Amino acid sequence: MTPPTGRAGRWVAVLAVLLAGLTVGWLSWLAFGSGDARLGSSASPTAALTPGAPGRSSPPDPAVPGGPSAASTAPGGTPLAGLTVALDPGHNGANATAPRQVGAPVPDGRGGTKACNTAGTSTDDGYPEHAFAWDVAARTAASLEALGARVVLTRPDDEGVGPCVDVRGAFAQEAGADVLVSVHANGTEDRSVRGFFVIVADPPPVVEQDPAAREANAAESDALAGDMVEALVAAGFAPSPLFPDGVSRRADLATLNLAERPAVLLELGEMRNAEEAAVMTSDEGRQRYADAVAAGLVAWVAGAAR
Ligand SMILES: [Zn+2]
C-alpha cells in the first residue's frame, strides 16, 4: 500500500494512528482488565503450570441439583461433565535432593506448622511413592477427562521439589476445582500389613469461614471416602486391617486441613508389602488403581444427584 501524501494524507495517517491506539487499548483491557484475568494471576504458580487454567467463576456445589451431577443423565457417556477435579500426586521426584526446602515449616491448617513435604516411602526394591503417585494420577486424569471432567494437577511432572502441603491443600479452591483427591501409598514397617485406606480431615477443616459450607464439605468428604472405599473394593483391592471400614480420620494432614472443597487423601496400598508392591510396580496394577479412583468419583457425583 502506498502511504497517503499531502494534507489529506497526513490527516488519514493521524486518524490511522489514533484508531490503532484505541484498538490496542481496547484489546489490552480485554486481556488484562477483566476479573477472570486477575483470578488467573492470583492462582498458585503450580496452577498456572497446569494445562487448562482455572476458568470457572463459581464452581457448582456437587450436592446441589443442577450442579455438575446434572450432566450425569446426559447421553454420550460423560457422567463427569461440568466437574473439575484437583488431583494431588503425593511428594515429588526431587524432594530427596532438597532437604532444607522440603523440611521448612509451613502452616498446618490447625494453628501450628508442619514440614513443607517429605520424600515419601518406596517399595523394598526402590520404586518410590512419588513415581507411583504421579503415574496413578496421570492415568486417573486421563480416565476422568474421558468421562467429561476437567482435571488440574498440583504438580506438572515428577521431576521437581514440592509444592508444600499447605499449597496442595489450598489448591482446589485456588484452581477453581470442585473436589480434591490426593494420591499416596503407605509405608508401614510391618511388611505383613497390606491394604488401602482413605483419609478424611477430622475434625473438618477450620479454614472454611462459612459454617454451612464447612459442614457440607465435611459431609461430601465423608461420602467421597465411602465411594472410594467401595470402588477400590469393587476393583479387587482390600481395605487395610488398620482401618476395617477403610476410612482413617486425622487432624494432622495439612493437605486436608487447608481444603475448602470436599477432599480425601488416598493411601492406595502398602509399598513394603511384597504382594502389593508387585501390583504397584506394574502398569496394569496402576491402571487398575486409576480406574477405581475414577469410578469412585463417578459414584460420588451420581450419589450427589440422588
Ligand atoms: Zn505419601
Side-chain angles (χ1 to χ4, degrees), residues 66-290:
S69 55
S72 62
T73 54
T78 53
L80 299 183
L83 186 79
T84 298
V85 180
L87 287 180
D88 172 41
H91 315 279
N92 204 340
N95 276 8
T97 68
R100 281 167 66 95
Q101 189 179 344
V102 165
V106 298
D108 69 355
R110 304 274 182 197
T113 62
K114 184 135 190 176
C116 159
N117 213 313
T118 67
T121 186
S122 71
T123 68
D124 281 348
D125 289 338
Y127 179 60
E129 180 187 357
H130 63 77
F132 170 76
W134 172 252
D135 189 78
V136 170
R139 291 170 186 272
T140 304
S143 297
L144 294 173
E145 284 169 353
L147 292 163
R150 193 170 77 89
V151 179
V152 286
L153 294 163
T154 56
R155 53 183 170 101
D157 53 39
D158 195 36
E159 314 296 324
V161 176
C164 297
V165 284
D166 57 330
V167 173
R168 293 171 189 258
F171 179 77
Q173 58 263 30
E174 293 282 333
D178 302 301
V179 59
L180 174 68
V181 177
S182 188
V183 178
H184 289 252
N186 207 30
T188 301
E189 286 296 321
D190 179 349
R191 284 154 173 76
S192 70
V193 173
R194 56 177 296 177
F196 72 85
F197 53 100
V198 181
I199 310 175
V200 293
D202 189 8
V206 293
V207 285
E208 178 59 70
Q209 297 301 302
D210 176 356
R214 181 173 181 255
E215 269 185 44
N217 283 342
E220 287 300 327
S221 297
D222 281 346
L224 178 57
D227 288 333
M228 284 293 176
V229 170
E230 280 189 28
L232 285 160
V233 168
F237 299 108
S240 168
L242 305 173
F243 308 98
D245 67 350
V247 178
S248 164
R249 300 178 176 281
R250 286 172 63 169
D252 65 323
L253 296 178
T255 299
L256 297 177
N257 292 345
L258 288 156
E260 294 179 23
R261 299 287 181 272
V264 295
L265 190 150
L266 308 173
E267 295 284 7
L268 288 173
E270 295 287 349
M271 298 200 88
R272 297 186 182 280
N273 176 274
E275 286 174 62
E276 292 205 314
V279 176
M280 290 178 182
T281 50
S282 78
D283 287 348
E284 181 262 331
R286 291 192 298 273
Q287 189 61 49
R288 202 151 57 88
Y289 279 115

